[in-house]
Amino acid sequence: SGVEYSEVRRPCRIMVLLNPNSGRGQALSLFSTHVQRMLTEADAVPTLVITEHQNHAQEIVREADLSQWDALVILSGDGLLFEVVNGLMEREDWEEAIQTPLGILPGGSGNALAASINRYSGAPALLGEELLVSCGFLLCKGLVSPLDLASVHLASGQRFFSFLSLAWGFVADVDIESERYRQVGAARFLLGTLVRLASLRVYQGRLAFLPAHEEGTVEDIVEGVAASSFTRSSSTNSSFHSTSPPDSLSSSFCSAMSCGPVANPSPTHSTFCPENSAPDDHTLNTLHNASNNAIKLLQAGSHTTSMLKGPPDSLLPPLDEPVPTHWTQVTEQGFVLVLAMYQSFLSEDLLAAPEARSGDGCIHLYYVLEGVSRAALLRLFLAMERGTHMACECPQLVYRQVRALRLEPLSPQGAITVDGEQVEYGAIQAQIHGGLGKLISG
Ligand code: ADP
Ligand code: MG
């Protein structure tokens, strides 16, 4: 499909960054039992670097002599790759540094990129050690493909790069709350989802985006047809696409909870801005203006923008200016979740964006509007295990392919995550840079 592949040279010198505490704390033994020999036999000589604390990988990569390495590989969860990507982008020579092929071996509890790479290779969906072995083989093959990175801006003026996802509302809450279930490994997201359903909330905010294809043009229609025929052929060809979500599980779980619409959170969650106690427009405007002024002061004082490395974000106006008129503004303001994906898997077992491909230059944007019932939302997440959530035909679920987006939360409290890690809550915008990095994939 026009995507260019190259191969890592042999013998290949690989720096393997390993977080010993990732997942259930077994990354080191997973490396020696499943990966080390395979790599050595493939003439891909691994040098193990064990991280000692948070941000250690970022520091190492920022300072490393990259001429000594043909690839940087992480054995951990997605969190460690986030550090590596941003460490590379913080360097003076970021343009060259980010061309270093990156690889991932799943050893964490959030292994979304590993699951995505496995999918792009055409292999059936795998979990746990089977996924690790599959990713080990792909690393030995050493095929390199483009990696899209999203440039993300926060209201504080901070900017960083994201390779996986941006989430607000339900998915972000699950990301954060499920940290406490890390001992169950990859199943923590599904468990967190079930727990979160019991206290579902609606968030107020504004969402705007730049569609990837001009609406209504020939290009849009052709792309739409191509996308739908791809979905159809891939769902008939591969055994891991089933069309029917496990209804018995969803209905029995739903009957254990009250399954009404979720527009009114229970009184015990009143701090999270139920509709009947929402701050009035005047209060919100005052808060909004005050924070905008604070941001301007911060930006003026620290010259943040002039110090930023990385490519210019030509699609994004400053966060305190309106989005261009050719962007699409979502008219509704009550959201259960907003999820932007640039790889196919959200976690090892959630195929959130089945159409996503490495290097497709696209943000796959999903959002669920208020009014969805708990039962319907549960059905969506169960279907997402096989990537069939769009087939649920849930009227509150919207899917768009976009190049840039802006999210402005109006609810005073909530969480936003980028690549599964919590970031400061507030206005956020992002644009995709197609093929800015390189990924060792199938
Ligand atoms: P998991 O998927 O299990 O969460 P991650 O790779 O996402 O695994 O790592 C989780 C966090 O651990 C990351 O934010 C990373 O910065 C941090 N980290 C890396 N090395 C260490 C270490 N030696 N001790 C503690 N935390 C670490
Ligand atoms: Mg993580």
Side-chain angles (χ1 to χ4, degrees):
S1 60
V3 175
E4 288 198 12
Y5 290 88
S6 57
E7 232 172 283
V8 181
R9 64 169 210 136
R10 300 305 151 94
C12 165
R13 303 155 302 168
I14 298 184
M15 184 198 290
V16 178
L17 289 144
L18 184 152
N19 171 3
N21 296 329
S22 62
R24 277 178 274 193
Q26 294 160 343
L28 197 53
S29 70
L30 287 172
F31 178 74
S32 50
T33 55
H34 290 79
V35 184
Q36 195 165 21
R37 232 185 75 197
M38 193 195 287
L39 287 178
T40 309
E41 280 174 11
D43 223 356
V45 187
T47 302
L48 198 57
V49 177
I50 296 176
T51 61
E52 286 159 17
H53 52 83
Q54 190 158 27
N55 295 330
H56 194 190
Q58 193 157 344
E59 293 160 19
I60 292 169
V61 163
R62 201 166 45 212
E63 309 299 332
D65 174 4
L66 293 176
S67 69
Q68 300 302 305
W69 305 103
D70 299 305
L72 301 175
V73 170
I74 72 118
L75 202 171
S76 187
D78 297 308
L80 207 66
L81 187 62
F82 178 81
E83 288 190 14
V84 167
V85 164
N86 284 286
L88 292 172
M89 291 305 292
E90 282 166 12
R91 295 169 60 109
E92 289 297 331
D93 65 346
W94 64 267
E95 208 159 358
E96 216 188 319
I98 198 65
Q99 292 293 303
T100 312
L102 303 176
I104 193 156
L105 294 166
S109 53
N111 302 310
L113 185 62
S116 303
I117 287 173
N118 181 63
R119 174 177 169 82
Y120 307 147
S121 80
L126 297 171
L127 294 172
E129 292 177 20
E130 287 185 324
L131 180 62
L132 175 63
V133 170
S134 174
C135 289
F137 274 121
L138 294 174
L139 197 55
C140 292
K141 265 169 91 177
L143 287 178
V144 177
S145 59
L147 171 67
D148 296 343
L149 294 173
S151 169
V152 179
H153 295 253
L154 304 181
S156 59
Q158 205 191 335
R159 183 230 211 174
F160 50 84
F161 291 85
S162 156
F163 65 91
L164 185 64
S165 64
L166 187 161
W168 176 53
F170 189 86
V171 174
D173 294 342
V174 169
D175 255 338
I176 293 160
E177 288 167 8
S178 68
E179 281 284 342
R180 75 175 82 128
Y181 314 126
R182 334 175 38 88
Q183 284 308 313
V184 306
R188 77 172 162 108
F189 294 98
L190 201 55
L191 182 59
T193 298
L194 298 179
V195 172
R196 188 72 231 168
L197 273 173
S199 54
L200 203 52
R201 333 200 275 258
V202 170
Y203 297 86
Q204 300 299 318
R206 294 195 201 95
L207 176 65
F209 54 80
L210 175 64
H213 322 287
E214 291 240 0
E215 261 137 87
T217 64
V218 173
E219 184 201 9
D220 191 40
I221 295 161
V222 171
E223 293 266 353
V225 170
S228 65
S229 63
F230 172 78
T231 316
R232 232 177 290 125
S233 64
S234 69
S235 61
T236 47
N237 287 349
S238 46
S239 57
F240 58 97
H241 281 85
S242 143
T243 45
S244 54
D247 277 330
S248 55
L249 180 51
S250 60
S251 56
S252 65
F253 194 88
C254 281
S255 61
M257 301 189 290
S258 86
C259 281
V262 295
N264 288 307
S266 72
T268 52
H269 291 89
S270 58
T271 51
F272 297 120
C273 193
E275 273 152 39
N276 55 11
S277 72
D280 59 33
D281 282 355
H282 175 73
T283 316
L284 283 175
N285 273 337
T286 312
L287 276 171
H288 186 74
N289 291 340
S291 62
N292 273 346
N293 288 338
I295 291 158
K296 278 182 193 147
L297 281 173
L298 271 172
Q299 285 175 337
S302 61
H303 303 288
T304 340
T305 39
S306 64
M307 281 158 49
L308 289 179
K309 298 188 181 79
D313 293 323
S314 57
L315 302 176
L316 298 176
L319 250 180
D320 58 352
E321 286 173 20
V323 295
T325 50
H326 63 282
W327 282 39
T328 302
Q329 295 266 6
V330 178
T331 49
E332 294 90 346
Q333 298 207 346
F335 296 88
V336 166
L337 68 87
V338 172
L339 174 64
M341 301 279 306
Y342 357 111
Q343 300 290 343
S344 57
F345 277 82
L346 175 61
S347 67
E348 233 173 287
D349 52 5
L350 289 176
L351 179 49
E355 289 182 26
R357 289 291 172 275
S358 173
D360 64 8
C362 203
I363 298 175
H364 300 260
L365 175 66
Y366 294 83
Y367 55 92
V368 175
L369 297 165
E370 71 180 316
V372 71
S373 70
R374 284 189 174 84
L377 194 63
L378 176 60
R379 223 172 285 128
L380 286 181
F381 275 88
L382 290 173
M384 201 183 279
E385 284 190 73
R386 291 180 180 81
T388 56
H389 38 295
M390 291 313 292
C392 293
E393 291 180 2
C394 169
Q396 290 86 13
L397 170 63
V398 181
Y399 167 49
R400 300 297 303 274
Q401 298 185 355
V402 310
R403 302 251 182 261
L405 63 91
R406 178 184 291 180
L407 177 64
E408 293 166 279
L410 297 172
S411 295
Q413 284 180 45
I416 297 175
T417 56
V418 173
D419 296 358
E421 307 288 323
Q422 190 164 11
V423 299
E424 127 207 331
Y425 182 69
I428 185 168
Q429 62 180 5
Q431 93 160 64
I432 198 82
H433 289 278
L436 182 60
K438 285 183 173 171
L439 181 68
I440 306 176
S441 62

